[in-house]
Short mmCIF file of all heavy atoms in Angstrom, two decimals:
data_model
loop_
_atom_site.label_atom_id
_atom_site.label_comp_id
_atom_site.label_asym_id
_atom_site.label_seq_id
_atom_site.Cartn_x
_atom_site.Cartn_y
_atom_site.Cartn_z
N PRO A 143 -17.34 -8.62 101.10
CA PRO A 143 -17.69 -9.16 102.42
C PRO A 143 -18.84 -8.38 103.05
O PRO A 143 -18.76 -7.15 103.18
CB PRO A 143 -16.40 -8.94 103.24
CG PRO A 143 -15.70 -7.79 102.56
CD PRO A 143 -16.11 -7.81 101.12
N VAL A 144 -19.90 -9.07 103.40
CA VAL A 144 -21.08 -8.44 104.01
C VAL A 144 -21.75 -9.42 104.97
O VAL A 144 -21.46 -10.62 104.95
CB VAL A 144 -22.14 -8.04 102.95
CG1 VAL A 144 -21.76 -6.79 102.18
CG2 VAL A 144 -22.43 -9.19 102.01
N GLY A 145 -22.67 -8.90 105.76
CA GLY A 145 -23.53 -9.76 106.57
C GLY A 145 -24.63 -10.35 105.70
O GLY A 145 -24.83 -9.93 104.55
N GLU A 146 -25.32 -11.30 106.27
CA GLU A 146 -26.32 -12.08 105.52
C GLU A 146 -27.43 -11.22 104.92
O GLU A 146 -27.95 -11.50 103.84
CB GLU A 146 -26.90 -13.11 106.50
CG GLU A 146 -27.20 -14.43 105.91
CD GLU A 146 -28.70 -14.58 105.76
OE1 GLU A 146 -29.46 -13.83 106.41
OE2 GLU A 146 -29.09 -15.43 104.98
N ASP A 147 -27.75 -10.11 105.61
CA ASP A 147 -28.87 -9.27 105.15
C ASP A 147 -28.61 -8.60 103.80
O ASP A 147 -29.54 -8.07 103.19
CB ASP A 147 -29.23 -8.21 106.21
CG ASP A 147 -28.06 -7.29 106.54
OD1 ASP A 147 -26.93 -7.54 106.06
OD2 ASP A 147 -28.28 -6.31 107.28
N GLN A 148 -27.37 -8.63 103.33
CA GLN A 148 -27.05 -7.97 102.05
C GLN A 148 -27.02 -8.94 100.86
O GLN A 148 -26.71 -8.54 99.73
CB GLN A 148 -25.70 -7.25 102.15
CG GLN A 148 -25.71 -6.11 103.15
CD GLN A 148 -26.79 -5.09 102.83
OE1 GLN A 148 -26.93 -4.65 101.69
NE2 GLN A 148 -27.57 -4.74 103.83
N LYS A 149 -27.34 -10.19 101.13
CA LYS A 149 -27.22 -11.22 100.09
C LYS A 149 -28.08 -10.88 98.86
O LYS A 149 -27.62 -10.96 97.72
CB LYS A 149 -27.67 -12.55 100.70
CG LYS A 149 -27.30 -13.73 99.90
CD LYS A 149 -27.50 -15.00 100.67
CE LYS A 149 -27.34 -16.16 99.71
NZ LYS A 149 -28.17 -17.28 100.05
N GLN A 150 -29.29 -10.49 99.12
CA GLN A 150 -30.21 -10.21 98.01
C GLN A 150 -29.70 -9.04 97.16
O GLN A 150 -29.81 -9.05 95.93
CB GLN A 150 -31.61 -9.92 98.55
CG GLN A 150 -32.66 -10.04 97.48
CD GLN A 150 -34.05 -9.65 97.97
OE1 GLN A 150 -34.20 -8.80 98.85
NE2 GLN A 150 -35.07 -10.26 97.39
N HIS A 151 -29.14 -8.04 97.83
CA HIS A 151 -28.61 -6.89 97.08
C HIS A 151 -27.43 -7.30 96.21
O HIS A 151 -27.26 -6.78 95.10
CB HIS A 151 -28.17 -5.79 98.05
CG HIS A 151 -29.31 -5.10 98.74
ND1 HIS A 151 -29.17 -4.42 99.92
CD2 HIS A 151 -30.61 -5.00 98.40
CE1 HIS A 151 -30.33 -3.91 100.27
NE2 HIS A 151 -31.23 -4.26 99.39
N LEU A 152 -26.64 -8.26 96.70
CA LEU A 152 -25.49 -8.69 95.89
C LEU A 152 -25.94 -9.54 94.71
O LEU A 152 -25.33 -9.49 93.64
CB LEU A 152 -24.48 -9.45 96.75
CG LEU A 152 -23.75 -8.60 97.79
CD1 LEU A 152 -22.69 -9.42 98.50
CD2 LEU A 152 -23.10 -7.38 97.15
N GLU A 153 -27.02 -10.26 94.90
CA GLU A 153 -27.56 -11.02 93.76
C GLU A 153 -28.04 -10.05 92.68
O GLU A 153 -27.87 -10.28 91.49
CB GLU A 153 -28.71 -11.94 94.21
CG GLU A 153 -28.15 -13.20 94.83
CD GLU A 153 -29.13 -13.94 95.73
OE1 GLU A 153 -30.32 -13.56 95.76
OE2 GLU A 153 -28.68 -14.87 96.43
N LEU A 154 -28.63 -8.94 93.12
CA LEU A 154 -29.05 -7.92 92.17
C LEU A 154 -27.85 -7.34 91.42
O LEU A 154 -27.91 -7.10 90.21
CB LEU A 154 -29.82 -6.80 92.88
CG LEU A 154 -30.48 -5.84 91.90
CD1 LEU A 154 -31.88 -6.31 91.55
CD2 LEU A 154 -30.54 -4.44 92.45
N ALA A 155 -26.75 -7.12 92.16
CA ALA A 155 -25.54 -6.58 91.52
C ALA A 155 -25.05 -7.54 90.44
O ALA A 155 -24.60 -7.13 89.36
CB ALA A 155 -24.45 -6.33 92.55
N ARG A 156 -25.16 -8.83 90.70
CA ARG A 156 -24.76 -9.82 89.69
C ARG A 156 -25.67 -9.73 88.48
O ARG A 156 -25.22 -9.78 87.33
CB ARG A 156 -24.86 -11.24 90.27
CG ARG A 156 -23.81 -11.55 91.31
CD ARG A 156 -24.18 -12.79 92.09
NE ARG A 156 -24.03 -14.01 91.31
CZ ARG A 156 -22.99 -14.84 91.41
NH1 ARG A 156 -22.03 -14.57 92.26
NH2 ARG A 156 -22.92 -15.92 90.68
N ASP A 157 -26.98 -9.60 88.73
CA ASP A 157 -27.94 -9.52 87.62
C ASP A 157 -27.69 -8.27 86.77
O ASP A 157 -27.78 -8.31 85.54
CB ASP A 157 -29.39 -9.48 88.16
CG ASP A 157 -29.80 -10.82 88.75
OD1 ASP A 157 -29.11 -11.83 88.49
OD2 ASP A 157 -30.81 -10.87 89.50
N ILE A 158 -27.38 -7.17 87.45
CA ILE A 158 -27.12 -5.92 86.71
C ILE A 158 -25.88 -6.07 85.83
O ILE A 158 -25.88 -5.71 84.65
CB ILE A 158 -26.99 -4.73 87.69
CG1 ILE A 158 -28.35 -4.39 88.30
CG2 ILE A 158 -26.39 -3.52 86.98
CD1 ILE A 158 -28.32 -3.29 89.36
N ALA A 159 -24.81 -6.63 86.43
CA ALA A 159 -23.57 -6.80 85.66
C ALA A 159 -23.82 -7.69 84.44
O ALA A 159 -23.39 -7.38 83.32
CB ALA A 159 -22.49 -7.43 86.55
N GLN A 160 -24.57 -8.75 84.66
CA GLN A 160 -24.84 -9.70 83.58
C GLN A 160 -25.69 -9.06 82.48
O GLN A 160 -25.41 -9.23 81.30
CB GLN A 160 -25.59 -10.90 84.15
CG GLN A 160 -25.08 -12.21 83.66
CD GLN A 160 -25.13 -13.25 84.77
OE1 GLN A 160 -25.92 -13.13 85.73
NE2 GLN A 160 -24.30 -14.26 84.67
N LYS A 161 -26.70 -8.33 82.88
CA LYS A 161 -27.57 -7.71 81.88
C LYS A 161 -26.82 -6.63 81.10
O LYS A 161 -26.97 -6.53 79.89
CB LYS A 161 -28.83 -7.11 82.55
CG LYS A 161 -29.79 -6.45 81.55
CD LYS A 161 -31.20 -6.34 82.10
CE LYS A 161 -32.08 -5.36 81.36
NZ LYS A 161 -32.05 -5.41 79.90
N PHE A 162 -26.00 -5.85 81.80
CA PHE A 162 -25.20 -4.83 81.10
C PHE A 162 -24.31 -5.51 80.06
O PHE A 162 -24.28 -5.12 78.90
CB PHE A 162 -24.36 -4.03 82.11
CG PHE A 162 -23.57 -2.92 81.47
CD1 PHE A 162 -24.06 -1.62 81.46
CD2 PHE A 162 -22.34 -3.17 80.85
CE1 PHE A 162 -23.34 -0.58 80.85
CE2 PHE A 162 -21.62 -2.14 80.24
CZ PHE A 162 -22.12 -0.85 80.24
N ASN A 163 -23.61 -6.55 80.51
CA ASN A 163 -22.70 -7.25 79.58
C ASN A 163 -23.45 -7.82 78.39
O ASN A 163 -23.01 -7.69 77.24
CB ASN A 163 -21.96 -8.38 80.31
CG ASN A 163 -20.94 -7.86 81.31
OD1 ASN A 163 -20.61 -6.67 81.31
ND2 ASN A 163 -20.42 -8.73 82.17
N ASN A 164 -24.63 -8.42 78.65
CA ASN A 164 -25.42 -9.01 77.55
C ASN A 164 -25.97 -7.95 76.62
O ASN A 164 -25.90 -8.08 75.40
CB ASN A 164 -26.65 -9.77 78.11
CG ASN A 164 -26.24 -11.11 78.66
OD1 ASN A 164 -25.16 -11.60 78.33
ND2 ASN A 164 -27.08 -11.68 79.50
N ASP A 165 -26.56 -6.90 77.20
CA ASP A 165 -27.20 -5.87 76.39
C ASP A 165 -26.22 -5.26 75.39
O ASP A 165 -26.57 -4.95 74.26
CB ASP A 165 -27.76 -4.73 77.27
CG ASP A 165 -29.03 -5.14 78.02
OD1 ASP A 165 -29.53 -6.26 77.76
OD2 ASP A 165 -29.50 -4.35 78.86
N PHE A 166 -24.98 -5.05 75.86
CA PHE A 166 -24.02 -4.36 75.00
C PHE A 166 -23.02 -5.31 74.36
O PHE A 166 -22.11 -4.87 73.64
CB PHE A 166 -23.30 -3.27 75.80
CG PHE A 166 -24.25 -2.17 76.26
CD1 PHE A 166 -24.74 -2.17 77.56
CD2 PHE A 166 -24.67 -1.18 75.38
CE1 PHE A 166 -25.63 -1.19 77.97
CE2 PHE A 166 -25.56 -0.20 75.79
CZ PHE A 166 -26.05 -0.20 77.09
N GLY A 167 -23.17 -6.60 74.65
CA GLY A 167 -22.26 -7.58 74.05
C GLY A 167 -20.81 -7.37 74.47
O GLY A 167 -19.90 -7.41 73.64
N VAL A 168 -20.61 -7.10 75.76
CA VAL A 168 -19.25 -6.84 76.26
C VAL A 168 -18.97 -7.72 77.48
O VAL A 168 -19.87 -8.39 78.00
CB VAL A 168 -19.09 -5.35 76.69
CG1 VAL A 168 -19.10 -4.43 75.48
CG2 VAL A 168 -20.18 -4.95 77.71
N GLU A 169 -17.72 -7.70 77.91
CA GLU A 169 -17.34 -8.38 79.16
C GLU A 169 -16.86 -7.30 80.12
O GLU A 169 -15.76 -7.38 80.65
CB GLU A 169 -16.19 -9.36 78.90
CG GLU A 169 -16.53 -10.51 78.00
CD GLU A 169 -17.23 -11.63 78.76
OE1 GLU A 169 -16.94 -11.80 79.95
OE2 GLU A 169 -18.09 -12.30 78.15
N GLN A 170 -17.64 -6.26 80.26
CA GLN A 170 -17.19 -5.10 81.04
C GLN A 170 -17.12 -5.40 82.54
O GLN A 170 -16.13 -5.11 83.18
CB GLN A 170 -18.15 -3.92 80.78
CG GLN A 170 -17.91 -2.70 81.62
CD GLN A 170 -16.55 -2.04 81.34
OE1 GLN A 170 -15.86 -2.37 80.38
NE2 GLN A 170 -16.15 -1.13 82.20
N PHE A 171 -18.21 -5.95 83.08
CA PHE A 171 -18.27 -6.08 84.53
C PHE A 171 -18.11 -7.52 84.97
O PHE A 171 -18.68 -8.42 84.35
CB PHE A 171 -19.60 -5.53 85.06
CG PHE A 171 -19.73 -4.05 84.92
CD1 PHE A 171 -20.77 -3.49 84.19
CD2 PHE A 171 -18.81 -3.20 85.52
CE1 PHE A 171 -20.88 -2.11 84.06
CE2 PHE A 171 -18.92 -1.83 85.39
CZ PHE A 171 -19.95 -1.28 84.66
N PRO A 172 -17.34 -7.74 86.04
CA PRO A 172 -17.20 -9.10 86.57
C PRO A 172 -18.46 -9.50 87.34
O PRO A 172 -19.28 -8.64 87.69
CB PRO A 172 -16.02 -8.98 87.53
CG PRO A 172 -16.08 -7.57 88.01
CD PRO A 172 -16.64 -6.75 86.88
N ILE A 173 -18.59 -10.77 87.60
CA ILE A 173 -19.71 -11.24 88.39
C ILE A 173 -19.26 -11.31 89.85
O ILE A 173 -18.29 -11.97 90.20
CB ILE A 173 -20.19 -12.62 87.88
CG1 ILE A 173 -20.57 -12.52 86.39
CG2 ILE A 173 -21.37 -13.14 88.71
CD1 ILE A 173 -21.56 -11.41 86.03
N VAL A 174 -19.99 -10.57 90.68
CA VAL A 174 -19.58 -10.35 92.07
C VAL A 174 -19.77 -11.62 92.92
O VAL A 174 -20.79 -12.30 92.80
CB VAL A 174 -20.47 -9.23 92.65
CG1 VAL A 174 -20.22 -9.03 94.12
CG2 VAL A 174 -20.26 -7.94 91.87
N GLU A 175 -18.76 -11.89 93.76
CA GLU A 175 -18.85 -13.01 94.71
C GLU A 175 -19.15 -12.47 96.11
O GLU A 175 -18.32 -11.76 96.68
CB GLU A 175 -17.51 -13.74 94.81
CG GLU A 175 -17.20 -14.69 93.69
CD GLU A 175 -18.18 -15.83 93.59
OE1 GLU A 175 -18.76 -16.22 94.63
OE2 GLU A 175 -18.39 -16.32 92.48
N PRO A 176 -20.28 -12.82 96.70
CA PRO A 176 -20.50 -12.42 98.09
C PRO A 176 -19.61 -13.23 99.02
O PRO A 176 -19.41 -14.42 98.80
CB PRO A 176 -21.97 -12.78 98.35
CG PRO A 176 -22.49 -13.41 97.11
CD PRO A 176 -21.39 -13.60 96.13
N LEU A 177 -19.03 -12.57 100.01
CA LEU A 177 -18.26 -13.29 101.04
C LEU A 177 -19.05 -13.18 102.33
O LEU A 177 -18.95 -12.18 103.05
CB LEU A 177 -16.88 -12.66 101.22
CG LEU A 177 -15.93 -12.67 100.03
CD1 LEU A 177 -14.63 -11.94 100.36
CD2 LEU A 177 -15.62 -14.11 99.62
N ILE A 178 -19.89 -14.18 102.57
CA ILE A 178 -20.73 -14.15 103.77
C ILE A 178 -20.29 -15.32 104.64
O ILE A 178 -20.50 -16.47 104.27
CB ILE A 178 -22.23 -14.26 103.40
CG1 ILE A 178 -22.61 -13.11 102.46
CG2 ILE A 178 -23.10 -14.24 104.66
CD1 ILE A 178 -24.00 -13.19 101.88
N LEU A 179 -19.63 -15.03 105.74
CA LEU A 179 -19.13 -16.12 106.58
C LEU A 179 -20.28 -16.74 107.37
O LEU A 179 -21.21 -16.05 107.75
CB LEU A 179 -18.06 -15.59 107.54
CG LEU A 179 -16.81 -15.04 106.87
CD1 LEU A 179 -15.73 -14.77 107.89
CD2 LEU A 179 -16.29 -15.99 105.80
N ASP A 180 -20.17 -18.03 107.60
CA ASP A 180 -21.24 -18.72 108.30
C ASP A 180 -21.41 -18.21 109.72
O ASP A 180 -22.52 -17.97 110.19
CB ASP A 180 -20.95 -20.23 108.37
CG ASP A 180 -21.34 -20.87 107.06
OD1 ASP A 180 -22.04 -20.20 106.29
OD2 ASP A 180 -20.91 -22.01 106.82
N SER A 181 -20.27 -18.03 110.39
CA SER A 181 -20.40 -17.65 111.80
C SER A 181 -20.66 -16.16 111.89
O SER A 181 -20.01 -15.35 111.25
CB SER A 181 -19.13 -18.02 112.56
OG SER A 181 -18.17 -17.02 112.40
N ALA A 182 -21.71 -15.81 112.66
CA ALA A 182 -22.03 -14.41 112.95
C ALA A 182 -22.37 -13.58 111.72
O ALA A 182 -22.20 -12.37 111.73
CB ALA A 182 -20.90 -13.74 113.72
N ALA A 183 -22.86 -14.21 110.66
CA ALA A 183 -23.32 -13.44 109.51
C ALA A 183 -24.62 -12.73 109.85
O ALA A 183 -25.04 -11.81 109.15
CB ALA A 183 -23.52 -14.35 108.31
N ARG A 184 -25.26 -13.19 110.91
CA ARG A 184 -26.51 -12.58 111.34
C ARG A 184 -26.58 -12.61 112.86
O ARG A 184 -27.03 -13.59 113.46
CB ARG A 184 -27.67 -13.37 110.72
CG ARG A 184 -28.99 -12.66 110.77
CD ARG A 184 -30.02 -13.46 109.98
NE ARG A 184 -31.34 -12.94 110.20
CZ ARG A 184 -31.83 -11.88 109.56
NH1 ARG A 184 -31.12 -11.26 108.67
NH2 ARG A 184 -33.03 -11.44 109.83
N VAL A 185 -26.07 -11.56 113.47
CA VAL A 185 -26.11 -11.46 114.93
C VAL A 185 -27.49 -10.92 115.31
O VAL A 185 -27.98 -9.97 114.71
CB VAL A 185 -25.00 -10.50 115.43
CG1 VAL A 185 -25.07 -10.32 116.93
CG2 VAL A 185 -23.62 -11.02 115.01
N MET A 186 -28.10 -11.55 116.31
CA MET A 186 -29.47 -11.18 116.65
C MET A 186 -29.51 -10.22 117.85
O MET A 186 -28.53 -10.09 118.59
CB MET A 186 -30.29 -12.44 116.96
CG MET A 186 -30.22 -13.50 115.88
SD MET A 186 -30.56 -12.89 114.20
CE MET A 186 -32.34 -12.88 114.22
N SER A 187 -30.65 -9.58 118.01
CA SER A 187 -30.85 -8.63 119.11
C SER A 187 -30.69 -9.32 120.46
O SER A 187 -31.06 -10.49 120.62
CB SER A 187 -32.26 -8.04 118.99
OG SER A 187 -32.70 -7.57 120.23
N LEU A 188 -30.14 -8.60 121.43
CA LEU A 188 -30.00 -9.17 122.77
C LEU A 188 -31.33 -9.20 123.51
O LEU A 188 -31.45 -9.83 124.56
CB LEU A 188 -28.99 -8.36 123.60
CG LEU A 188 -27.56 -8.26 123.04
CD1 LEU A 188 -26.68 -7.40 123.95
CD2 LEU A 188 -26.94 -9.65 122.88
N ARG A 189 -32.33 -8.52 122.98
CA ARG A 189 -33.65 -8.49 123.63
C ARG A 189 -34.63 -9.47 123.00
O ARG A 189 -35.61 -9.84 123.63
CB ARG A 189 -34.27 -7.08 123.57
CG ARG A 189 -33.40 -5.99 124.10
CD ARG A 189 -32.99 -6.17 125.54
NE ARG A 189 -34.12 -6.14 126.47
CZ ARG A 189 -34.04 -6.51 127.74
NH1 ARG A 189 -32.91 -6.99 128.23
NH2 ARG A 189 -35.08 -6.43 128.51
#
Side-chain angles (χ1 to χ4, degrees):
V144 284
E146 217 254 341
D147 59 353
Q148 296 303 312
K149 194 168 171 212
Q150 197 184 31
H151 290 158
L152 292 185
E153 279 160 9
L154 189 90
R156 290 165 72 101
D157 290 344
I158 289 176
Q160 224 143 24
K161 180 159 163 45
F162 183 96
N163 290 348
N164 282 342
D165 286 354
F166 295 100
V168 290
E169 295 278 328
Q170 173 65 10
F171 291 121
I173 302 307
V174 174
E175 281 298 331
L177 297 177
I178 302 173
L179 297 190
D180 279 346
S181 83
R184 195 173 170 81
V185 177
M186 308 309 278
S187 157
L188 301 179
R189 307 301 296 168

